[in-house]
Amino acid sequence: MFKDFFQKKKYAVVPTQTNSGANAAERPKREIPEGLMNRCPKCGNIQFSKELEKNLKVCSTCGHHFRLNAWERIAMTLDDGRLAEIDADLVSEDPLEFPGYKKKLQQQTESSGLRDAIVTGEGEIGGFPVVVGVMSFDFFSGSMGSVVGEKVTRAIELAMEKRLPLILFSTSGGARMQESILSLMQMAKTSAALAKFQDRGGLFISVFTDPTMGGVSASFASLGDYNLAEPGALVGFAGRIVIEQTIRQKLPDNFQTAEFNLKHGQLDKVVHRKDMKAFLTKLLDMHAAKGERADVR
């Protein structure tokens, strides 16, 4: 009697539905379109891409400034987003026959839609005509090769010829190693052109965006009559690890941020992206009226 009581009962097994087979084929698939959402790399907040774009690609939770490509920044900064581009036909060659360089250039062009790491031209900001140059980190990490240096130099010369203010938005990982000494020469070339421009009374406004490092920060980007930066932008020459290994000391957590550089006198002002156009207009207006450098702190 008790023997039958303690025996395990037999149950019929109902097969579970899997992702394969006819049942799965009948189910509607729920797919999230690529690029619909964005996660902030600083605070982790997830937001719709369209909302992020409406907010000028600034996180609504923590204020982190996402990186922009050249044309996005032009659209936000210039009146009606209009730029009369110059030197658009300049493209990088392979003067040193560096292994794989030509293929990488082609890949960078296809992925970014740009011919090199900077776009230059004429436009207006707040009704004031200007010559602008906007670098883009999505082409070869914004590295400065011969074309970047040449386009910056030509933009400086155009501003000097037409007696217009010059505004350059920088973002760069440094010199382009595939062009070696030819890349490093651009530091001297652009700096010399700027010296000539400023000796003749030209106004140069330099805007650092995240990140601006290496040869770009060590040359034309740091030579502005006004040196501005977006909040949180990384601004420096060598990277944190290299410096710490060299001096054998731990650096502050906010080392090389725009705010750190402002505190230590390397910048004139940190300007939020939503205020950048208005602030540039203010500077242009002051110089158009007075013809001299003003204190904007």
Side-chain angles (χ1 to χ4, degrees), residues 104-220:
K104 287 185 178 180
L105 284 172
Q106 183 179 355
Q107 291 172 343
Q108 293 294 312
T109 298
E110 293 172 353
S111 63
S112 68
L114 299 173
R115 292 194 171 189
D116 217 289
I118 190 170
V119 176
T120 55
E122 292 183 70
E124 292 186 355
I125 297 178
F128 294 98
V130 292
V131 174
V132 298
V134 183
M135 297 191 71
S136 199
F137 198 78
D138 55 357
F139 187 99
F140 240 119
S141 300
S143 56
M144 179 168 65
S146 300
V147 167
V148 170
E150 181 65 17
K151 292 183 75 169
V152 169
T153 302
R154 291 190 186 189
I156 296 168
E157 292 172 345
L158 178 64
M160 185 161 48
E161 176 188 342
K162 294 194 172 184
R163 301 180 64 83
L164 295 175
L166 172 70
I167 302 177
L168 296 177
F169 291 85
S170 299
T171 176
S172 177
R176 191 171 300 174
M177 58 169 287
Q178 290 86 352
E179 295 186 24
S180 189
I181 189 64
L182 299 178
S183 175
L184 297 178
M185 287 170 59
Q186 307 310 310
M187 297 172 63
K189 183 168 74 173
T190 55
S191 298
L194 271 175
K196 187 175 181 180
F197 173 67
Q198 291 169 320
D199 284 345
R200 296 187 180 185
L203 172 64
F204 170 39
I205 302 173
S206 178
V207 184
F208 292 85
T209 69
D210 184 61
T212 303
M213 302 292 290
V216 169
S217 70
S219 57
F220 67 85

Side-chain angles (χ1 to χ4, degrees), residues 11-18 23 27:
Y11 296 93
V13 178
V14 180
T16 57
Q17 294 180 349
T18 62
N23 290 332
R27 296 178 188 171

